[in-house]
C-alpha cells in the first residue's frame, strides 16, 4: 500500500476576521462597468436604449411644453401653434366636464371635491396601522357622508341608512348571544329593514330638512363616476370575495355549491354582458314604474364580477397555507370564526395581496366600460360630448393622454401602496 | 425512575376502547385499547406508517375515528363541537413542524388562545406567557417573530404556547424529528422538565434515550395496532414480539 507523506490533520488556531471587499468593485465607474457596459453586446444594448429614450423625449417634450392652453377651439390652436405643440386648451376649457360630467351643477363641484379629499381621511386608518384607531369611526360614517355630499338631498336619507346598519348590528349582537349566529344574522337583517322602511317614510315626508341641492344619478359623470364606481366596488367586493372564498371551502355542501356556481358563472361571463344586463334586462324583471337607480345596478354588477375574481385569488392564498396552521389553531381550541379571523385569513390575505391588487386595478380601469351603456364617465365624456363637439373634434392625443394620466396616477398609487403593505407584513424573514 | 412512577395516580386521564379508523378503505388503526392514567408518560414508537401519529391526533379530534370510543378527562369524544372544543382546550399538542403562527410575535402566539378561548384578560395572559417562556428558557425572544428563531427555539415556543392554556394532558407528535442534531437536546430537556413536574404526556418519538429516561410505559405499534407495551427497562432489554425485536435492532444498531 503506497504511503502518502502528507498529513491530513489540521487544527485552526485563529479565526479569520471579516475584511472589506476590494476597492475595484465599488464606486460609480465600477457600478457603470458592472450594470451598463459589462460586455460588448450589453454596451450596444445600453447605447441603443439611450438613443431610444432620447428620441422619445425629443418628440414628447416640445409637444408638451410648446402646447397652448388658452384657445377656444381646435382651429384656433392650429393657427396659434408653430411647429409642434399640443392643443391643451381642451383640458383647460372642458376640465369640469372631464372631472364631473356635463350636467353636474357647477356651483356644487365643491361637494364631490370635498368627498374626494375626505376619502383619504377615511381610508387612512384602514390602510395605515400608524394612524390613530379612533379615526375608524369616521371611516364608518364616510360612506353616508359621501353619499349626501355627492347626491345631495336631505341629510335624513343617509342618516336613516346609517341607523338601519346600527340597528341591524345591535340586533345581531343581542340575538347572537342568546340564540346563536343564524338567529342574530337574520334578526339583524329584519331590524335593519324595519328601520329603513320607517325611516324612508320620515325622510320622504321631509325632503328639505338640512338639504343640499339634489343631483340625479344620470347627471353623474366624468372621472368622478369612475372614482365612485371604483371605490365602492373595490370596498364591497373584498368582503364579499372573502365570504365566497370561505364558502367555497366550507364543509356545508349547499353553501359550497352556491359559491362554486356563483363564482364559475360570473367568471364565465364578460363584464360588458353583465353591464348590459344591469342597464336593459333588469328593467324587464322589475315591476313597471320602479326606479331602481342605474348607478346602483352597475355597482351591483361590477361588485359581483370582481368579488368572484377576488374569491379565486383568496382561495389560492388559503390553499397555500400549510395544513399545520389549521391544525395548530384547532388544537388550541379556537373555534371556526376565531381561527379564520385570527390565524388563517391574516396569512391568506397577505399571500393574496398581489392578486387582490391586480383585480382592484383591473376593476378600476374596467369602470370605463360603463361608457358602453351610455353613461358619461371619463371615457364616455371624451368619446361623446367632447370629441363630437365642433370646437374640439380631432383633439385625440391631449384628451386620451389626460385620461391615461388620471388612471395611471390612481393605479400606480394602488400598486405602490400594496408593495409597501407587503413589506410591512413580511414577518417570516425568509 | 422509581420516584416518577410513584406520581402516577389511579385516576384515568384518557380511555380509548376498541377504537378503529379508516382512511377511505385503508384500515389505519385497528382495535386500539389504551388507558392512560393521570401523571403517566407514555412513549409511542414504531415504523413510519404504523399509525402512531394518527392515534394521538385522534385524541384531540384532529382526526376523526369511525368506531369505538375515546374519553378524555371524562368527556366522551363525539361529533358534538362543544365536546371537541372542551377536549382541545384541555389537551395541548406539539407538532413535528412546530406550526407557530408566523404573522404573530412569540408573545402573541402564546397569549392568543388564552385570550380568545379562555377569555383571560390580556395582561394576565401576557404574564402567564412570560412565565412559561422563562420556563422554556427564551423569555428574551418574546417580541420576535417565529421566523427569526432557530428550530429548537421554535419548538420550545410551541411547547410554551400549549402550556399557556394550562392543559392537563400534553401530546407530542415527533417533536424533535425536524430539528438539527444540535437542537434536539434543548427540546428534550424541556420535555423532561415537564415530565418531572407530573404532566400527563403521550409522545410519539424516536428518541429512545428519552423513552428510557422519562417514560413509564413504551408502546410499540405496527400496522395500525399496538404490538407490545411494557415498562421501558423491560421493553428495551427483553422485547417479546419478533417485530419489536427487529425494530429495536434497527434503530439501536448503530
Amino acid at each position: 500500500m503506497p504511503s502518502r507523506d502528507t498529513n491530513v490533520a489540521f487544527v485552526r488556531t485563529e479565526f479569520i476576521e471579516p475584511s472589506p471587499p476590494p476597492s475595484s468593485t465599488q464606486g460609480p465607474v465600477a457600478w457603470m462597468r458592472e450594470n451598463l457596459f459589462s460586455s460588448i453586446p450589453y454596451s450596444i444594448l445600453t447605447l441603443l436604449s439611450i438613443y431610444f429614450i432620447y428620441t422619445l423625449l425629443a418628440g414628447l417634450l416640445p409637444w408638451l411644453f410648446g402646447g397652448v392652453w388658452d384657445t377656444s377651439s381646435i382651429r384656433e390652436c392650429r393657427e396659434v401653434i408653430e411647429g409642434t405643440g399640443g392643443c391643451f386648451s381642451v383640458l383647460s376649457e372642458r376640465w369640469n366636464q372631464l372631472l364631473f360630467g356635463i350636467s353636474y351643477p357647477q356651483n356644487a363641484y365643491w361637494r364631490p371635491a370635498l368627498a374626494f379629499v375626505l376619502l383619504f381621511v377615511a381610508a387612512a386608518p384602514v390602510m395605515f396601522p400608524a394612524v390613530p384607531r379612533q379615526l375608524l369611526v369616521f371611516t364608518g360614517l364616510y360612506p353616508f357622508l359621501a353619499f349626501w355630499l355627492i347626491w345631495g338631498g336631505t341629510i335624513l336619507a343617509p342618516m336613516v341608512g346609517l341607523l338601519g346598519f346600527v340597528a341591524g348590528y345591535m340586533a345581531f349582537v343581542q340575538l347572537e348571544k342568546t340564540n346563536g349566529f343564524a338567529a342574530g344574522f337574520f334578526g339583524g337583517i329584519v331590524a335593519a329593514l324595519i328601520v329603513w322602511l320607517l325611516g324612508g317614510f320620515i325622510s320622504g315626508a321631509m325632503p328639505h330638512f338640512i338639504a343640499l341641492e339634489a343631483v340625479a344619478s344620470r347627471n353623474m359623470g366624468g372621472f368622478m363616476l369612475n372614482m365612485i364606481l371604483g371605490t365602492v366596488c373595490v370596498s364591497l367586493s373584498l368582503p364579499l370575495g372573502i365570504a365566497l372564498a370561505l364558502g367555497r371551502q366550507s364543509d356545508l355542501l349547499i353553501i359550497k355549491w352556491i359559491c362554486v356556481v356563483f363564482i364559475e358563472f360570473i367568471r364565465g361571463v364578460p363584464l360588458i354582458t353583465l353591464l348590459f344586463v344591469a342597464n336593459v334586462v333588469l328593467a324587464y324583471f322589475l315591476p313597471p314604474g320602479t326606479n331602481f337607480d342605474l348607478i346602483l345596478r352597475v355597482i351591483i354588477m361590477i361588485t359581483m364580477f370582481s368579488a368572484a375574481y377576488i374569491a379565486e385569488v383568496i382561495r389560492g392564498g388559503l390553499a397555500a397555507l400549510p395544513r399545520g396552521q389549521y391544525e395548530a389553531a384547532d388544537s388550541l381550541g379556537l373555534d371556526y370564526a376565531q381561527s379564520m379571523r385570527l390565524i388563517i385569513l391574516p396569512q391568506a390575505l397577505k399571500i393574496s395581496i398581489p392578486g387582490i391588487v391586480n383585480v382592484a386595478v383591473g376593476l378600476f380601469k374596467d369602470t370605463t366600460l360603463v361608457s358602453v351603456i351610455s353613461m358619461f364617465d371619463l371615457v364616455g365624456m371624451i368619446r361623446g360630448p367632447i370629441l363630437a363637439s365642433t370646437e374640439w373634434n380631432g383633439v385625440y392625443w391631449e384628451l386620451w393622454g389626460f385620461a391615461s394620466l388620471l388612471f395611471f396616477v390612481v393605479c400606480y398609487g394602488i400598486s405602490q401602496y400594496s408593495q409597501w403593505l407587503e413589506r410591512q407584513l413580511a414577518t417570516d424573514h425568509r | 425512575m422509581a420516584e416518577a412512577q410513584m406520581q402516577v395516580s389511579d385516576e384515568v386521564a384518557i380511555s380509548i376502547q376498541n377504537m378503529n379508523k379508516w382512511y377511505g378503505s385503508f384500515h389505519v388503526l385497528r382495535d386500539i385499547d389504551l388507558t392512560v392514567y393521570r401523571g403517566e408518560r407514555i412513549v409511542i414508537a414504531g415504523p413510519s406508517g404504523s399509525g402512531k401519529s394518527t392515534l394521538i391526533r385522534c385524541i384531540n379530534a384532529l382526526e376523526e375515528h369511525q368506531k369505538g370510543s375515546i374519553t378524555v378527562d371524562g368527556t366522551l369524544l363525539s361529533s358534538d363541537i362543544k365536546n371537541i372544543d372542551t377536549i382541545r382546550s384541555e389537551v395541548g399538542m406539539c407538532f413535528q413542524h412546530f406550526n407557530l403562527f408566523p404573522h404573530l410575535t412569540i408573545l402573541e402566539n402564546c397569549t392568543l388562545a388564552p385570550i380568545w378561548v379562555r377569555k383571560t384578560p390580556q395582561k394576565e395572559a401576557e404574564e402567564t406567557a412570560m412565565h412559561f417562556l422563562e420556563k422554556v428558557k427564551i423569555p428574551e425572544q418574546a417580541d420576535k417573530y417565529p421566523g427569526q428563531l432557530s428550530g429548537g427555539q421554535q419548538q420550545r415556543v410551541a411547547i410554551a404556547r400549549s402550556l399557556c392554556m394550562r392543559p392537563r394532558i400534553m401530546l407530542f407528535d415527533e417533536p424533535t424529528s425536524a430539528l438539527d442534531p444540535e437542537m434536539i437536546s434543548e427540546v428534550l430537556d424541556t420535555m423532561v422538565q415537564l415530565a418531572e413536574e407530573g404532566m400527563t404526556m403521550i409522545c410519539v418519538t424516536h428518541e429512545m434515550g428519552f423513552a428510557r429516561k422519562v417514560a413509564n410505559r413504551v408502546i410499540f405499534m405496527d400496522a395500525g395496532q399496538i404490538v407490545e407495551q411494557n415498562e421501558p427497562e423491560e421493553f428495551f432489554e427483553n422485547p417479546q414480539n419478533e417485530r419489536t425485536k427487529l425494530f429495536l435492532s434497527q434503530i439501536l444498531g448503530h
Side-chain angles (χ1 to χ4, degrees), chain B residues 127-174:
Chain B
E127 280 164 11
T128 314
M130 287 313 293
H131 168 74
F132 284 113
L133 285 176
E134 265 160 42
K135 201 161 147 176
V136 300
K137 302 190 181 70
I138 31 178
E140 71 282 0
Q141 312 282 3
D143 294 323
K144 290 195 181 163
Y145 286 93
Q148 291 165 291
L149 268 54
S150 73
Q153 289 173 322
Q154 289 193 45
Q155 192 60 291
R156 284 185 285 153
V157 172
I159 294 174
R161 177 177 71 176
S162 297
L163 292 179
C164 284
M165 286 293 280
R166 308 255 181 208
R168 307 185 65 188
I169 300 163
M170 283 289 289
L171 308 175
F172 292 87
D173 188 359
E174 306 205 18

Side-chain angles (χ1 to χ4, degrees), chain A residues 3-341:
Chain A
S3 74
R4 290 185 303 171
D5 51 357
T6 47
N7 188 357
V8 293
F10 168 75
V11 179
R12 185 176 291 287
T13 51
E14 50 188 64
F15 283 85
I16 302 166
E17 294 297 320
S19 54
S23 62
S24 64
T25 61
Q26 283 170 322
V29 176
W31 182 87
M32 279 174 68
R33 185 172 295 150
E34 180 161 341
N35 292 296
L36 300 178
F37 302 102
S38 60
S39 70
I40 291 176
Y42 278 7
S43 307
I44 293 173
L45 278 180
T46 301
L47 292 174
L48 275 178
S49 308
I50 291 174
Y51 175 72
F52 175 73
I53 294 169
Y54 166 78
T55 354
L56 207 66
L57 289 181
L60 188 67
L61 291 180
W63 179 75
L64 213 54
F65 292 109
V68 286
W69 291 83
D70 50 1
T71 57
S72 65
S73 76
I74 187 169
R75 274 176 302 284
E76 272 185 52
C77 268
R78 289 187 180 138
E79 284 160 20
V80 174
I81 297 169
E82 296 144 7
T84 49
C87 184
F88 299 113
S89 327
V90 64
L91 302 181
S92 51
E93 206 210 50
R94 297 291 180 101
W95 66 270
N96 51 352
Q97 295 187 353
L98 289 168
L99 293 184
F100 300 105
I102 285 189
S103 345
Y104 204 89
Q106 302 248 355
N107 58 1
Y109 283 164
W110 65 272
R111 280 157 43 185
L114 179 62
F116 178 70
V117 173
L118 290 181
L119 173 63
F120 290 95
V121 183
V126 183
M127 293 168 72
F128 303 102
V131 175
R133 296 293 89 189
Q134 291 88 324
L135 257 183
L136 279 172
V137 176
F138 181 74
T139 310
L141 295 177
Y142 176 78
F144 306 97
L145 179 63
F147 174 83
W148 185 55
L149 281 173
I150 294 173
W151 272 267
T154 170
I155 199 170
L156 285 175
M159 282 197 14
V160 167
L162 177 63
L163 276 179
F165 278 109
V166 173
Y169 177 72
M170 279 166 51
F172 169 75
V173 171
Q174 281 303 317
L175 284 171
E176 197 213 6
K177 263 187 215 151
T178 51
N179 300 347
F181 180 83
F185 183 73
F186 291 110
I189 291 179
V190 170
L193 285 179
I194 292 173
V195 170
W196 284 330
L197 210 64
L198 293 179
F201 285 120
I202 298 171
S203 67
M206 293 194 289
H208 301 294
F209 182 77
I210 321 188
L212 291 170
E213 184 190 347
V215 184
S217 281
R218 63 175 176 279
N219 293 339
M220 306 285 157
F223 194 60
M224 176 182 73
L225 184 57
N226 297 111
M227 283 298 292
I228 293 174
L229 293 176
T231 327
V232 174
C233 295
V234 168
S235 33
L236 289 181
S237 60
L238 190 58
L240 188 58
I242 293 173
L244 282 170
L246 292 180
R248 194 171 184 164
Q249 281 211 328
S250 171
D251 294 332
L252 307 168
L253 266 189
I254 304 228
I255 293 195
K256 178 177 176 169
W257 282 108
I258 290 176
C259 293
V260 169
V261 169
F262 179 89
I263 292 171
E264 294 304 330
F265 173 75
I266 297 279
R267 287 206 311 161
V269 175
L271 177 57
I272 199 96
T273 322
L274 292 176
L275 289 177
F276 276 120
V277 169
N279 187 24
V280 188
V281 187
L282 271 188
Y284 291 122
F285 294 111
L286 296 170
T290 35
N291 179 24
F292 195 44
D293 194 283
L294 178 60
I295 291 193
L296 187 57
R297 280 183 270 165
V298 167
I299 283 177
I300 291 174
M301 284 304 176
I302 301 183
T303 301
M304 291 199 320
F305 187 78
S306 57
Y309 278 87
I310 287 181
E312 285 301 277
V313 171
I314 293 176
R315 189 167 72 104
L318 289 171
L321 277 195
R323 222 171 102 84
Q325 292 290 311
Y326 293 85
E327 288 175 353
D330 282 347
S331 75
L332 286 170
L334 297 171
D335 63 29
Y336 176 79
Q338 288 169 341
S339 64
M340 285 300 141
R341 212 186 104 204

